Each structure stands twice: as structure tokens, then as C-alpha cells.
Amino acid sequence: MSEFSTVLTESRKFPPPPGFAEKAHLKSMDDYRRLCAEADANPDAYWAARAKEELFWQTPFSTVCEWKPPFAKWFLGGRTNLSYNALDRHLATQGDKVAIRFEGEPGDRRDVTYRELHAEVCRLANGLRALGVKPGDRVGIYLPLIPEAAVAMLACARIGATHSVVFGGFSAEALRDRMNDAKAKVLITSDGGWRKGHVVPLLDNVRASIAHGIPSMEKVIVAHRTGATPPALQPNEVAWSELVASEPASCEPEWVDSEHPLFILYTSGSTGTPKGVLHTTGGYGVWTSLTTRWVFDLKPDDVYWCTADVGWVTGHSYVVYGPLMNGATVVLYEGAPTTPGPDRFWELIARHQVTIFYTAPTAIRAFMRLGEEHPKRHDLTSLRLLGTVGEPINPEAWMWYRETIGGGRCPIVDTWWQTETGGILISPLPGVTTTKPGSATLPLPGIHPAILDKDHHEVRQGAGKLFLLKPWPSMLRTIWGNELRFRAGYFAEHPKYYFTGDGARRDADGYFWIIGRVDDVVNVAGHRLGTAEVESALVSHPRVAEAAVVGRPDSLKGTALVAFVTMKAGVETSKALEAELAAHVTKEIGAIARPDEIRFAAGLPKTRSGKIMRRLLRDVAAGTDSKGDTSTLEDLSVLAALRNDEE
Ligand code: WTA
């Protein structure tokens, strides 16, 4: 924890660099305060103005917001289409501008202009319609980070189909569960993708998941990415190239209602299986478009690179929708940061003259360990702005990012948000905010975060749970097919305030410092996981009796996963068994969920009512002493045994 505890005493301050503010979209604290005051004085007028500035509305909206806690609707009566906003709007003025500058892991390159992207999206949209995909139907996307991923998402948006992207690192089992929950009709995949010099067998995974049963699935569309020749297909599969071969390069967008479901993205919760976060069209479009410009200060000649995969929300909002709606040139890199060498990212930045770079703290810490000689070998002077997202950034990594990557001249935007929030809510504005290493600083204008104590009193200065007191346009609308879980997950603590699941601290300047999750969700190397998911993967192994998974602070990954496992009677524990269990989790969920450490235990500490005492396990995992009250422990000897293992 020592690395993180410095957060609380951090006193360095960095005002926007000279010259940056003058050219920025938002230039001063006055700009910021004016917008906040506008939003406070008349929220409807404020949001209506933002919505009209950001999007083309085919039919204007009549009501700005309807808030019946926990349900929000935004820009009611309006009709729009985000594919139109991301593509068609730019054709007249900048059709030949590069929209996607792609680089594959093996080094292949492809520039896709706005005109070409529009054509590809239209062809696929027509192809999907030809397959019978209707507005509101769900379409799964399981692709590597290649231009086709953006094409697939926008093609769905174009015809009003609701996409559900599943990260290519998830296993066949995880894919099946998500497709079944969404009841997807079509799945768009590829033969494979490149990762660390190997091919990830996406199509094999798709076939395995369908073999295990996805009753709703009618057709699989297969792009050709990795093999020397296109893969031989089965009757339920169609080659992407064949599907679009005779389709025209234009396609009338489906003008959908502002509240039409745009996508379902599965994310981890504190209990049970991953939940399908539902985002709708208008509000999500307005906020992702606006925040991309405000937070990244995007300008027409920027080369923007967000390293996230489209399988996560960051890839949805800040690789695809936000930047493309702003007409940016987006760099897309398929592979691993260290393939073929430890300087791959820096070499890409220098060669593509990247100006805005957005990545996760875990990546920054990994680069720090690799040594500064790697970035130093490359000319990184094209960079003018740096961003981070996904987990708290420790001041040491923040300073390294600033000095070694940003040359001391680039503002850093530490952006706090979640899958559920759709877009960035707390972040510096680079021309406005004086930053402090490790703080996400202040809410964006119109956003009302607050730290509340146990009695729901606001903590103006100090620590507590982080809530959002008012709705915002890109908030999740529900959990797909599970309203109860939506209520229980976010509005159980307070019926009108959205609970984030995060703990935070606010300092004397009103700055927010995100401490981390206070529920059983963990951020492992920037990937969000539920400990319950990993537990259920472990107990699905035939020889496991019980499992408890907790996070332990880790200087590289932020949090590492420690699994306490009790085996069924008579099972001998061994190193080989440990490896077998780890492999089992990889098969059930994916390599990102593989425990960093598996500890066999004779029993798990429980309360009298039979609940596993996770707080104690967290302390045992971290090697710290618990000051907690253990009087409800059913079996103190179990705890003692775990402690002894520790010594
Ligand atoms: C954490 C990722 C500290 C937080 C966009 C949140 C952060 C969870 C930050 C959401 C940040 C995200 N500082 N913590 N700047 N950004 N988090 O849904 O715990 O994958 O609740 O969305 O990541 O993760 P998710």
C-alpha cells in the first residue's frame, strides 16, 4: 500500500502549461465555472444546448430529461443515428481525412478515410439487413482490435441493431454466457487476431461456444484476418467479404429514438455473473462527443491514440464513438505493447506523430519497470496531451508519465468514469485545471458527484463512498433484462443517488481522489473483474469444494487476485493442482481472470450466519494484520491456520 498512501499527502501542483490554455476549447477556470453555473441555474437549458451542439437530430427532441429514479430518459422525442453522426456528417468537409490509422501486430498498415469507413459501414449494414437483422435485434461482436471492429459497431448503430462487443480475450464459455443473456441473433467475428506473436483462435472459440448452446444465434459473420487463406466455413457461417460483395456503399440510416438501445456491454459486478449494462443513443452520443472534445481538447489536426480495446467501455466511448463523432484521426493498434519489442508504443507514437495519448496506469507502471531507455530512444515531441483511465494512478507513475513520456510539457488528464457512466465524469480539463499527481480533480460541468457518509450526509472534505446525485445523459439505463439487479446494484444505498461502488476522498480544494472499489469488484491490470465470477469458475472444477477470491494491492497490476480454495475430501493438493485450477479459470473466463496466487485452505473463515469473511481474507492475502472484530468467526482456528500459512 505504501505506494498508494502517498496520494493522501501529495502536494505537487501543475497548472496548465503556458500556451496550452490559449488554444484550448476551454481556456480558464472562468470558462469552467460559467458552464457549471449554467448547468446549476437551468439544467434543461444547459443540456439542451449541449445536445444541439453535439449531434445532428433528424427529429428534434421535445423534452430534455425525465428522471424517475432510478430511471432516466434523455432528449425525449428526438431521433438521431450515431453512425450518421460519426460518418456522414464529415463526408462533405473531410471525406478524405484518415479516420482510422491501423497498424496490425505483425506490422501491416492500413489507413481508412472517412469516405472509406462510411462505405464499409454501409456495406455491412446492408449485409446485416439482408440477413434479417432488425432494429432492436442484438448482434454480438467478437473481434480483434482491427478496423472491422469499428465498422461492425457502426453498422449495427446504422440499422438500429444493438451491439454487444465481447473482448477477444474472453473464453468460449464467457462468450456463450454473454450471447445467451443478450439473446444475440448474429455474431461478427474473425478467423483470429494477433497477440504477442500468436494467433488468438477467435473462430474456434465461437464454434465451441455455439456447440455449448446459444439457441438464439442464427448466423456468424467471419472476417479474414490471420490465416494465409480464408477459413473453410460451416453452414451457419458467412464470410464478411461475401456478405458485403454485392452490397451498395450507401445505406439509409435508421433514425432511431433517442432512447433506442445502442449497445449492451457486459461488465463485472460484486455478485453473480457479468451484467449487461445498457446504453441508449441520444444521451450517450451527446456526452461522449462532448467529453472527447473537452477532456482531450481534440482539434482537427490531432492524431489521437487511445490504447483500449473495443471490448471495454473505453474502446466504445473513446476509440470509436467520441473521436469519430468529432472527425478525429484515430490510431488503432491490434497487438501487445511489447511485441515485437519493449518500445513498440513509443515507436508507434513517433512514427504516426501521435499528439494525444490515452492509456491505463497499469501500462504506465509496466513501462516504468521496463526502463526509460525504451521511450528515450524515440522522438515523442509530437505529444501534447496525456490521459489515463481505469484505476487510481500512483503519483510516482503519474510523474514518470509526465516527465519521461510527456517531456514535462503535456498536461495529464486522469479521467474517472465507469462502464455504467458511459463517459468521463471527473477529470481535469487540460487548459483549465491545475493537476495534482493521483487526483482525478473536479467534476465536468453538469456532473454532481458527492462523497457521502453512512448517514448520507455529504463529506465536503474527507473520505467516504462516491455517489452521483443527479442523472447525466450517458448514464446506464438498466441492466439488460434485469431491472432488479439494476436497482440493487446502484440504488440500494440511496433511492435517488447513483452509487458508484468506489470510495473516494475530497481535499481542501474540492479535488476528488479515487481510492478504489469498496465492493467485491477488483481492477486487475486495468481490467474490471468480479471476485464472485472467479469464485464460481473455481467451484465449477469438479474437485473444488469452496473458493473465496480477494484482491491484494500489487505495485504493477494495481490489484492482484488471490484465491483461497478448499478441496473436496481426499483431494491431495499440489503445485500441479494449482496450475490445473488456474488453467480452469482461464478456460471458464479468460486469461485476465487467472488468479495470481492460489492458496489451499482446510476451511474458510465464516461468520455465524455462514458468510465468508472477506475482509479477513483480504488482510491475510495482503499480509497485514486485521484490526477487525472477529467475534462472529465461526471457527477461529481456520483463520489462525490461514495466518500461519502466511508466516
Ligand atoms: C476505476 C473504466 C481511479 C473505478 C472506464 C471505477 C478509476 C472502475 C479511474 C470502472 C480513475 C476508472 N481513477 N479509478 N481515473 N477510472 N477507475 O467499468 O474503480 O472498466 O469504478 O470503466 O475503474 O471500471 P470500468
Side-chain angles (χ1 to χ4, degrees):
M1 283 302 268
S2 61
E3 224 177 354
F4 295 95
S5 56
T6 55
V7 158
L8 309 180
T9 54
E10 181 60 52
S11 58
R12 287 169 286 196
K13 292 186 181 180
F14 298 92
F20 193 100
E22 283 159 38
K23 295 185 221 130
H25 290 295
L26 296 180
K27 300 183 199 320
S28 66
M29 252 307 157
D30 287 347
D31 282 353
Y32 172 73
R33 290 207 188 97
R34 182 176 38 78
L35 285 163
C36 292
E38 255 181 55
D40 279 350
N42 190 343
D44 274 6
Y46 169 82
W47 288 116
R50 304 289 83 77
K52 286 177 194 160
E53 282 159 15
E54 293 311 314
L55 295 188
F56 168 80
W57 296 90
Q58 189 255 3
T59 306
F61 51 88
S62 47
T63 304
V64 175
C65 176
E66 182 192 285
W67 175 228
K68 294 183 181 157
F71 298 106
K73 290 182 180 170
W74 284 87
F75 311 122
L76 288 85
R79 298 187 90 79
T80 185
N81 183 293
L82 294 194
S83 146
Y84 181 91
N85 278 282
L87 302 170
D88 306 49
R89 268 200 309 178
H90 309 310
L91 294 186
T93 51
Q94 51 168 41
D96 296 323
K97 179 175 177 177
V98 174
I100 297 179
R101 173 150 290 173
F102 171 69
E103 181 136 347
E105 194 185 79
D108 53 318
R109 293 174 204 166
R110 205 160 110 206
D111 276 353
V112 186
T113 65
Y114 272 93
R115 200 178 315 287
E116 290 164 342
L117 188 61
H118 174 263
E120 287 310 311
V121 167
C122 286
R123 284 200 189 92
L124 184 65
N126 289 326
L128 288 168
R129 276 188 180 147
L131 289 180
V133 177
K134 302 262 177 325
D137 284 347
R138 272 81 59 209
V139 173
I141 298 176
Y142 186 59
L143 281 168
L145 194 48
I146 58 177
E148 283 76 2
V151 172
M153 291 162 74
L154 293 169
C156 290
R158 194 157 193 94
I159 62 169
T162 302
H163 58 72
S164 187
V165 183
V166 177
F167 173 54
F170 279 121
S171 68
E173 311 294 326
L175 175 65
R176 179 205 52 194
D177 293 346
R178 286 160 174 76
M179 292 296 97
N180 277 330
D181 189 82
K183 296 199 176 53
K185 190 164 167 180
V186 169
L187 179 56
I188 306 175
T189 189
S190 70
D191 53 347
W194 291 101
R195 189 82 194 165
K196 296 188 182 159
H198 301 285
V199 170
V200 182
L202 296 173
L203 182 57
D204 289 349
N205 289 349
V206 166
R207 287 175 178 168
S209 71
I210 291 177
H212 291 162
I214 310 178
S216 59
M217 193 60 72
E218 293 174 9
K219 207 76 182 174
V220 177
I221 301 171
V222 187
H224 178 206
R225 166 74 189 132
T226 52
T229 53
L233 298 184
Q234 298 176 353
N236 65 330
E237 298 164 352
V238 56
W240 176 314
S241 55
E242 201 175 301
L243 179 72
V244 305
S246 56
E247 295 296 346
S250 64
C251 169
E252 178 61 17
E254 180 79 30
W255 297 108
V256 295
D257 189 90
S258 179
E259 283 300 328
H260 185 76
L262 177 67
F263 66 84
I264 301 165
L265 182 59
Y266 286 86
T267 191
S268 299
S270 50
T271 55
T273 50
K275 45 192 181 181
V277 167
L278 178 71
H279 282 289
T280 58
T281 304
Y284 176 84
V286 168
W287 192 243
T288 53
S289 172
L290 178 60
T291 50
T292 303
R293 205 170 51 260
W294 274 354
V295 175
F296 301 108
D297 191 44
L298 203 64
K299 304 273 173 48
D301 51 358
D302 274 312
V303 178
Y304 167 95
W305 184 19
C306 164
T307 64
D309 192 281
V310 292
W312 310 105
V313 75
T314 309
H316 283 61
S317 304
Y318 299 109
V319 174
V320 178
Y321 286 107
L324 295 179
M325 284 193 284
N326 278 282
T329 293
V330 176
V331 171
L332 202 65
Y333 167 61
E334 175 187 29
T338 50
T339 307
D343 59 344
R344 183 59 185 266
F345 270 19
W346 320 126
E347 185 266 330
L348 279 166
I349 289 175
R351 187 153 42 78
H352 294 297
Q353 293 287 289
V354 171
T355 58
I356 302 171
F357 181 63
Y358 187 34
T359 196
T362 193
I364 298 166
R365 291 191 294 265
F367 290 129
M368 279 174 78
R369 288 212 180 167
L370 289 169
E372 64 176 20
E373 63 270 27
H374 304 297
K376 288 259 151 79
R377 270 207 304 279
H378 299 277
D379 177 7
L380 303 180
T381 53
S382 59
L383 290 171
R384 67 179 194 93
L385 177 64
L386 302 173
T388 81
V389 60
E391 46 178 331
I393 181 164
N394 46 308
E396 192 193 356
W398 195 99
M399 288 304 296
W400 186 88
Y401 198 31
R402 178 186 151 83
E403 299 303 329
T404 309
I405 305 306
R409 98 192 147 265
C410 305
I412 295 181
V413 289
D414 173 356
T415 63
W416 176 86
W417 59 296
Q418 312 178 297
T419 305
E420 293 87 343
T421 70
I424 297 167
L425 299 191
I426 304 178
S427 168
L429 293 163
V432 170
T433 318
T434 292
T435 52
K436 304 182 190 182
S439 172
T441 75
L442 299 169
L444 298 183
I447 304 300
H448 295 89
I451 294 169
L452 302 185
D453 66 16
K454 282 199 304 295
D455 305 318
H456 298 141
H457 294 129
E458 184 165 355
V459 179
R460 309 260 343 149
Q461 201 181 321
K465 290 178 176 172
L466 182 65
F467 288 78
L468 292 154
L469 306 187
K470 294 189 182 171
W472 63 100
S474 63
M475 77 186 283
L476 83 162
R477 296 304 192 255
T478 190
I479 295 300
W480 183 254
N482 201 337
E483 191 186 308
L484 273 179
R485 209 168 165 197
F486 172 61
R487 289 176 185 276
Y490 310 100
F491 293 92
E493 298 253 345
H494 190 285
K496 290 188 182 157
Y497 301 156
Y498 169 92
F499 176 49
T500 63
D502 279 336
R505 170 179 294 273
R506 213 164 163 209
D507 69 16
D509 294 327
Y511 277 33
F512 286 88
W513 301 76
I514 310 298
I515 299 168
R517 303 290 306 199
V518 295
D519 54 8
D520 290 316
V521 172
V522 282
N523 281 316
V524 179
H527 293 144
R528 178 167 158 181
L529 285 169
T531 52
E533 286 166 68
V534 186
E535 287 165 6
S536 71
L538 282 164
V539 297
S540 74
H541 187 282
R543 291 196 284 170
V544 171
E546 205 172 28
V549 173
V550 296
R552 145 163 70 67
D554 182 275
S555 62
L556 186 64
K557 295 175 148 192
T559 312
L561 284 182
V562 180
F564 294 89
V565 182
T566 59
M567 303 305 293
K568 288 186 178 156
V571 176
E572 285 283 322
T573 62
S574 64
K575 277 275 163 214
L577 185 61
E578 232 178 270
E580 187 181 321
L581 294 182
H584 183 70
V585 173
T586 304
K587 178 177 159 288
E588 291 294 313
I589 304 175
I592 54 170
R594 198 185 160 94
D596 296 275
E597 192 183 336
I598 293 180
R599 295 202 194 176
F600 294 111
L604 298 174
K606 293 195 183 142
T607 60
R608 287 193 197 286
S609 62
K611 274 177 76 174
I612 293 175
M613 301 189 78
R614 292 166 176 287
R615 183 169 43 83
L616 287 170
L617 288 178
R618 273 196 286 270
D619 289 345
V620 173
T624 55
D625 252 331
S626 172
K627 293 180 197 70
D629 174 13
T630 57
S631 61
T632 54
L633 259 191
E634 180 152 88
D635 188 350
L636 279 164
S637 66
V638 170
L639 181 66
L642 290 166
R643 286 262 159 86
N644 286 340
D645 279 347
E646 175 67 23
E647 279 152 13

